[in-house]
């Protein structure tokens, strides 16, 4: 019934109550981020990034520092013992001997669960390949709740690469659990996998204009070019772009979110609109990750 | 009238009074570097180095730590979101959501000004391609003032690659502003650009021996081999070297400075002479950058 | 007679009494690792890793943080000024102007002594090519003493690549100094060099089964494949493996150690046995390196 000392590898590991507790405490941190330097004083967070992710790594490190913890780690697996043939399990056991909590980013699905199984200290999954990235989901939920209040009945359109985008796969079930409605605006050929689409009340596909007109949230994701068909890539006819013109024409009242980095799927003319929330969303990574670290490390298990 | 909360992208952004204030506070820090751990407690400095510069990065980080701040960042742009196509502006907005101040190194001229234009927090330029590196200029001025007193009437020879060397381009106008005289000892074909040479009272070219005999400061810079003509590189006839013999023969009383790293343009036999100030100059990076961080972050804007 | 302010480049630089003092204080830190945050407050440890070594770097950084110090540095020489042609001596002098102690990892034997000769601050050798890695030896001794008590008369088998393994070359003479007996179980063609084998009472070669049956410690090291003969590599007949079956058959009461990373020279079925001490050994890196930093930095020279 408590997160203290527990690993966080999947969003499904959290009860609804635990999700709300994390978001609530994040609100407190967001209101006064600089008063917490004694909360995790003397604790060490080990950030083990076997693939680069500057945004995730730096926001976790910022969260640790704002709570007074210290940080060790690496930003890229290329210079670690794994290149000498060491197993993830061995590396995990060693790092667990240094830090009080392990933040793990790894290219292989299931890596976080494997690490948590052998680690003496809690493991927080910061993305494991096509698997999960639970704190990204939490900061997405936080941003929606912070802007829209309770998520019951809120209507969210997920857009872009819904087939391969790990972010969306974790977000959709979480939104359903909290009572939100979800529709999909997939890039051509990149619709939600059946197991995600069939979750909860199901996810209908709608055209972009209709989503903009009817939703409270447009959650845009980047389409990796190599995953588009040759025609798409060449003609661009199916490339989804959210721009100021679309939002005006559709009379949209939606907030616009994006896990970043974006390339061109949100036009820069949206940046100055009040509905643009993606940089705020990025900033929310800090209080939300502070809250996760605090819940896990704050009280002794 | 105050530096608090302001970005520092060019040395020209600083008034003479502000330069003096930075150098004065740096003197205080140099005298007692370890008593300042509470000054920036709870603040986070984000060091975004899109190209490697170990010396600049580590001295900024040391400065932040000596003031009690925490540091996040990256040492090399190769593993950042920019490789996924993210713009400098987007990366800046995200980092400004994590840190309280952004130290930016970037290979493109003008990058610091572009970042400062969109950042919610102050940006300190730590070198933008052929542009500026204002804190290098400040630590150079500090080292001269610390050794020679007021710079009014001090005679400085700038040597080596004066055409492409960013360091010299910022230093010469700053010296003129503070009343120093400047002469040039360029490597062949690598003289000062006209806009820098024509600045202030102008800059005369003089032979090395005359500079050594008549100047208070020999400011030596590294010539990048690829910029020398084939004859120069092969014959070495025009390669300028400061060694103990030169200093003795010319009866030089000049201090010898260099922004480092050096290759062979200052002979190692100079290292043990009292006039060798380049390692002291490197060390001065810490109190000077402490002073810059303190002026910008110390008081709320 | 004191370690304060001294460099540590070779295990031979330490008296028996100093070794015991380091191990004793490490025991105190291991018992209460989190109560030391004020001990080195305000001090800065510069970790200069000219070649990657995640384990060594992170345990030194953890040790510094647990004592309240701050850490600067780099994890890989590829992005430092040395690629612009700067000498190790110049880089050392610059880093000594930033930090209060320099932890140096370098691919060239003798690098630590060269750095110590020009540094204004103490240098701790964290591995210099085929040279030494004295804090590895100290944590190995610590682990043995922590499990077995006084090392007088303890019987240690060193196994694997004894010809090129730096770890073993420093460990064997230290064991002899502290009164332990050493036998060797070399991989074929990879026996101890004569100068190490002939040290102290000499080192006999024994078969693996006999070592397992008769020794208190099996100290296993990784054989780098490129150093094995073609037949060995292909046939594997001479490849030494410690597994549960060997330990049972020989009635071994030995603890099993390894500097890690391992590949397959210790079977994973040993991990769950009480005799497996290699992850504990890895964890001991922190209190031992805390003790080294504390001895050197704790009292003013």
């Amino acid at each position: 019934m408590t997160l203290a000392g527990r690993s966080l590898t999947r969003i499904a590991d959290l009860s609804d109550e635990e999700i709300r507790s994390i978001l609530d405490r994040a609100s407190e941190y967001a209101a006064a981020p600089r008063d917490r330097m004694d909360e995790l004083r003397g604790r060490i967070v080990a950030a083990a990034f076997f693939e680069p992710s500057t945004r995730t790594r730096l926001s976790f490190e910022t969260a640790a520092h704002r709570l007074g913890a210290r940080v060790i780690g690496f930003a890229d697996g290329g210079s670690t013992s794994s290149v000498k043939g060491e197993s993830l399990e061995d590396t995990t056991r060693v790092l667990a001997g240094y830090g009080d909590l392990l933040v793990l980013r790894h290219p292989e699905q299931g890596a976080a669960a494997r690490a948590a199984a052998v680690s003496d200290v809690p493991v927080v999954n910061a993305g494991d390949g096509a698997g999960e990235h639970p704190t990204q989901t939490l900061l997405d939920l936080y941003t929606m709740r912070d802007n829209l209040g309770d998520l019951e009945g809120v209507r969210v359109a997920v857009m872009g690469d819904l087939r391969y985008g790990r972010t969306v796969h974790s977000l959709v079930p979480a939104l359903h659990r909290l009572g939100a409605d979800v529709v999909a605006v997939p890039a051509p050929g990149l619709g939600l996998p059946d197991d995600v689409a069939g979750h909860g009340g199901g996810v209908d596909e709608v055209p972009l204009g209709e989503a903009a007109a009817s939703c409270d949230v447009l959650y845009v994701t980047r389409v990796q070019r190599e995953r588009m068909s040759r025609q798409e890539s060449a003609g661009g006819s199916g490339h989804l772009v959210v721009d100021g013109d679309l939002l005006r024409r559709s009379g949209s009242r939606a907030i616009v979110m994006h896990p970043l980095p974006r390339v061109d799927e949100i036009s820069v003319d949206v940046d100055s609109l009040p509905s643009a929330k993606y940089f705020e969303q990025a900033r929310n990574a800090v209080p939300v990750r502070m809250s996760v670290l605090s819940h896990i490390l704050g009280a002794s298990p």
Side-chain angles (χ1 to χ4, degrees), chain A residues 3-42:
Chain A
L3 278 166
R6 264 170 52 194
S7 288
L8 174 57
T9 61
R10 304 182 311 153
I11 199 78
D13 293 341
L14 299 173
S15 69
D16 294 0
E17 187 189 353
E18 287 166 342
I19 290 175
R20 289 201 181 87
S21 175
I22 290 170
L23 303 187
D24 287 346
R25 198 180 298 177
S27 294
E28 295 171 32
Y29 289 141
R34 285 195 192 138
D35 286 346
R36 314 288 174 168
M37 292 293 291
D38 290 320
E39 191 163 329
L40 295 183
R41 185 170 189 270

Coordinates of all heavy atoms in Angstrom, one line a residue, chain A residues 3-42:
Chain A
L3 N 4.5 3.2 -1.8 CA 5.5 3.1 -2.9 C 6.9 3.1 -2.3 O 7.8 2.8 -3.1 CB 5.4 4.4 -3.8 CG 4.3 4.3 -4.9 CD1 4.0 5.7 -5.5 CD2 4.8 3.3 -5.9
A4 N 7.1 3.3 -1.0 CA 8.4 3.4 -0.4 C 9.2 2.1 -0.7 O 8.7 1.0 -0.4 CB 8.3 3.6 1.0
G5 N 10.3 2.2 -1.3 CA 11.2 1.1 -1.5 C 10.8 0.2 -2.7 O 11.5 -0.8 -3.0
R6 N 9.7 0.5 -3.4 CA 9.3 -0.3 -4.5 C 9.9 0.2 -5.8 O 10.1 1.4 -6.0 CB 7.7 -0.2 -4.6 CG 7.0 -1.3 -4.0 CD 5.5 -1.1 -3.9 NE 4.9 -0.8 -5.2 CZ 3.7 -0.3 -5.3 NH1 3.0 -0.1 -4.2 NH2 3.2 0.0 -6.5
S7 N 10.0 -0.7 -6.8 CA 10.4 -0.4 -8.1 C 9.2 0.1 -8.9 O 8.1 -0.2 -8.6 CB 11.0 -1.6 -8.8 OG 12.3 -1.8 -8.3
L8 N 9.4 0.9 -9.9 CA 8.4 1.4 -10.8 C 8.8 1.1 -12.3 O 9.6 1.8 -12.9 CB 8.1 2.9 -10.7 CG 7.1 3.5 -11.6 CD1 5.8 2.8 -11.6 CD2 7.0 5.0 -11.4
T9 N 8.3 -0.1 -12.8 CA 8.6 -0.5 -14.1 C 7.5 -0.3 -15.1 O 7.8 -0.1 -16.3 CB 9.2 -1.9 -14.1 OG1 8.1 -2.8 -13.7 CG2 10.4 -2.1 -13.2
R10 N 6.3 -0.4 -14.6 CA 5.1 -0.2 -15.5 C 4.1 0.7 -14.9 O 3.9 0.6 -13.7 CB 4.5 -1.6 -15.8 CG 5.4 -2.7 -16.3 CD 4.6 -3.9 -16.6 NE 3.8 -4.3 -15.4 CZ 2.7 -5.0 -15.4 NH1 2.2 -5.4 -16.6 NH2 2.0 -5.3 -14.3
I11 N 3.3 1.4 -15.7 CA 2.3 2.2 -15.1 C 1.2 1.4 -14.4 O 0.6 1.8 -13.5 CB 1.7 3.2 -16.2 CG1 0.9 4.3 -15.6 CG2 0.8 2.4 -17.1 CD1 1.8 5.4 -15.0
A12 N 1.0 0.1 -14.9 CA 0.0 -0.8 -14.4 C 0.4 -1.2 -12.9 O -0.5 -1.7 -12.2 CB -0.1 -2.0 -15.2
D13 N 1.7 -1.0 -12.5 CA 2.1 -1.3 -11.2 C 1.4 -0.4 -10.1 O 1.5 -0.6 -8.9 CB 3.6 -1.3 -11.0 CG 4.3 -2.3 -11.8 OD1 3.6 -3.3 -12.2 OD2 5.5 -2.2 -12.0
L14 N 0.9 0.8 -10.6 CA 0.4 1.8 -9.7 C -1.1 1.7 -9.6 O -1.8 1.6 -10.6 CB 0.8 3.2 -10.2 CG 2.3 3.5 -10.3 CD1 2.5 4.9 -11.0 CD2 2.9 3.5 -9.0
S15 N -1.6 1.8 -8.4 CA -3.0 1.9 -8.2 C -3.5 3.3 -8.6 O -2.7 4.2 -8.7 CB -3.4 1.6 -6.7 OG -2.9 2.7 -5.9
D16 N -4.8 3.5 -8.8 CA -5.3 4.8 -9.1 C -5.0 5.8 -8.0 O -4.6 6.9 -8.2 CB -6.8 4.7 -9.3 CG -7.2 3.9 -10.5 OD1 -6.3 3.4 -11.2 OD2 -8.5 3.8 -10.8
E17 N -5.1 5.2 -6.8 CA -4.8 6.1 -5.6 C -3.3 6.5 -5.6 O -3.0 7.7 -5.3 CB -5.1 5.3 -4.3 CG -5.0 6.0 -3.1 CD -5.1 5.1 -1.9 OE1 -5.4 3.9 -2.1 OE2 -4.9 5.6 -0.7
E18 N -2.4 5.6 -6.0 CA -1.0 5.9 -6.0 C -0.7 7.0 -7.1 O 0.1 7.9 -6.9 CB -0.1 4.7 -6.2 CG -0.1 3.8 -5.0 CD 0.4 2.4 -5.2 OE1 0.5 1.9 -6.4 OE2 0.8 1.7 -4.2
I19 N -1.4 6.8 -8.3 CA -1.2 7.8 -9.3 C -1.6 9.2 -8.8 O -0.9 10.2 -9.0 CB -2.0 7.4 -10.6 CG1 -1.4 6.2 -11.3 CG2 -2.1 8.6 -11.6 CD1 -2.2 5.6 -12.4
R20 N -2.8 9.2 -8.1 CA -3.3 10.5 -7.6 C -2.3 11.1 -6.6 O -2.1 12.3 -6.5 CB -4.7 10.4 -7.1 CG -5.7 10.2 -8.2 CD -7.1 10.5 -7.7 NE -8.0 10.2 -8.9 CZ -8.6 9.0 -9.1 NH1 -8.4 8.0 -8.3 NH2 -9.3 8.8 -10.2
S21 N -1.8 10.2 -5.8 CA -0.8 10.7 -4.7 C 0.4 11.3 -5.4 O 0.9 12.3 -4.9 CB -0.4 9.5 -3.8 OG 0.6 9.9 -2.9
I22 N 0.9 10.7 -6.4 CA 2.1 11.2 -7.1 C 1.8 12.5 -7.8 O 2.6 13.5 -7.6 CB 2.6 10.2 -8.2 CG1 3.2 8.9 -7.5 CG2 3.6 10.8 -9.1 CD1 3.5 7.8 -8.5
L23 N 0.6 12.6 -8.4 CA 0.3 13.9 -9.1 C 0.0 15.0 -8.0 O 0.4 16.2 -8.2 CB -1.0 13.7 -10.0 CG -0.8 12.6 -11.1 CD1 -2.1 12.7 -12.0 CD2 0.4 12.8 -11.9
D24 N -0.6 14.6 -6.9 CA -0.8 15.7 -5.9 C 0.5 16.2 -5.3 O 0.6 17.4 -5.2 CB -1.6 15.0 -4.7 CG -3.1 14.8 -5.1 OD1 -3.5 15.3 -6.1 OD2 -3.8 14.1 -4.3
R25 N 1.4 15.3 -5.0 CA 2.7 15.8 -4.4 C 3.4 16.6 -5.5 O 4.1 17.6 -5.1 CB 3.5 14.7 -3.9 CG 4.6 15.2 -2.9 CD 5.4 14.1 -2.3 NE 4.7 13.2 -1.5 CZ 5.2 12.1 -0.9 NH1 6.5 11.9 -1.0 NH2 4.5 11.3 -0.2
A26 N 3.3 16.2 -6.7 CA 4.0 17.0 -7.8 C 3.5 18.4 -7.8 O 4.2 19.4 -8.1 CB 3.8 16.3 -9.2
S27 N 2.2 18.6 -7.6 CA 1.6 20.0 -7.6 C 2.3 20.8 -6.5 O 2.6 22.0 -6.7 CB 0.1 19.9 -7.3 OG -0.5 19.3 -8.4
E28 N 2.5 20.2 -5.3 CA 3.2 20.9 -4.2 C 4.6 21.3 -4.6 O 5.0 22.4 -4.4 CB 3.2 20.0 -3.0 CG 1.9 19.7 -2.4 CD 2.0 18.7 -1.3 OE1 3.1 18.7 -0.6 OE2 1.1 17.8 -1.1
Y29 N 5.3 20.4 -5.3 CA 6.7 20.7 -5.7 C 6.7 21.8 -6.7 O 7.6 22.7 -6.7 CB 7.4 19.4 -6.2 CG 7.7 18.4 -5.2 CD1 7.6 17.1 -5.4 CD2 8.2 18.8 -3.9 CE1 7.9 16.1 -4.5 CE2 8.5 17.8 -3.0 CZ 8.3 16.5 -3.3 OH 8.7 15.5 -2.3
A30 N 5.7 21.7 -7.7 CA 5.7 22.7 -8.7 C 5.5 24.1 -8.1 O 6.0 25.1 -8.7 CB 4.6 22.4 -9.7
A31 N 4.7 24.2 -7.1 CA 4.4 25.5 -6.4 C 5.6 26.0 -5.7 O 5.8 27.3 -5.6 CB 3.2 25.3 -5.5
A32 N 6.5 25.2 -5.2 CA 7.7 25.7 -4.4 C 8.8 24.7 -4.6 O 9.2 24.0 -3.7 CB 7.3 25.8 -2.9
P33 N 9.4 24.8 -5.8 CA 10.5 23.7 -6.1 C 11.8 23.9 -5.4 O 12.6 22.9 -5.4 CB 10.7 24.0 -7.6 CG 10.3 25.4 -7.9 CD 9.2 25.7 -6.9
R34 N 12.0 25.0 -4.7 CA 13.4 25.3 -4.2 C 13.4 25.0 -2.7 O 14.5 25.3 -2.1 CB 13.8 26.7 -4.5 CG 14.2 26.8 -5.9 CD 15.0 28.0 -6.2 NE 15.2 28.3 -7.6 CZ 15.0 29.4 -8.2 NH1 14.8 30.5 -7.5 NH2 15.2 29.5 -9.5
D35 N 12.4 24.6 -2.1 CA 12.4 24.5 -0.6 C 12.7 23.0 -0.1 O 12.4 22.7 1.0 CB 11.0 24.9 0.0 CG 10.9 26.4 -0.1 OD1 11.9 27.1 -0.3 OD2 9.8 26.9 0.1
R36 N 13.2 22.2 -1.0 CA 13.2 20.8 -0.7 C 14.6 20.2 -0.6 O 14.7 18.9 -0.7 CB 12.5 20.0 -1.8 CG 11.1 20.7 -2.2 CD 10.1 20.5 -1.2 NE 8.9 21.2 -1.5 CZ 7.7 21.1 -0.9 NH1 7.6 20.2 0.1 NH2 6.7 21.8 -1.2
M37 N 15.6 21.0 -0.4 CA 17.0 20.5 -0.5 C 17.4 19.6 0.6 O 18.4 18.9 0.5 CB 18.0 21.7 -0.6 CG 17.9 22.5 -1.8 SD 18.4 21.6 -3.3 CE 20.2 21.5 -2.9
D38 N 16.6 19.5 1.6 CA 17.0 18.5 2.7 C 16.2 17.2 2.6 O 16.5 16.3 3.4 CB 16.7 19.2 4.1 CG 17.7 20.3 4.3 OD1 18.9 20.1 4.0 OD2 17.3 21.4 4.9
E39 N 15.2 17.2 1.7 CA 14.3 16.0 1.7 C 15.1 14.7 1.4 O 14.8 13.7 2.1 CB 13.2 16.2 0.7 CG 12.1 15.2 0.9 CD 10.8 15.6 0.2 OE1 10.5 16.8 0.1 OE2 10.1 14.6 -0.2
L40 N 15.9 14.7 0.4 CA 16.7 13.5 0.1 C 18.2 13.7 0.3 O 19.0 13.1 -0.4 CB 16.4 13.0 -1.3 CG 15.0 12.6 -1.6 CD1 14.8 12.1 -3.0 CD2 14.5 11.5 -0.6
R41 N 18.6 14.6 1.2 CA 20.0 14.9 1.5 C 20.7 13.5 1.8 O 20.2 12.8 2.6 CB 20.1 15.9 2.6 CG 21.5 16.3 2.9 CD 21.6 17.5 3.9 NE 22.9 18.0 4.0 CZ 23.8 17.6 4.9 NH1 23.5 16.6 5.8 NH2 25.0 18.1 4.9
G42 N 21.8 13.3 1.3 CA 22.6 12.1 1.6 C 22.2 10.9 0.7 O 22.9 9.9 0.8

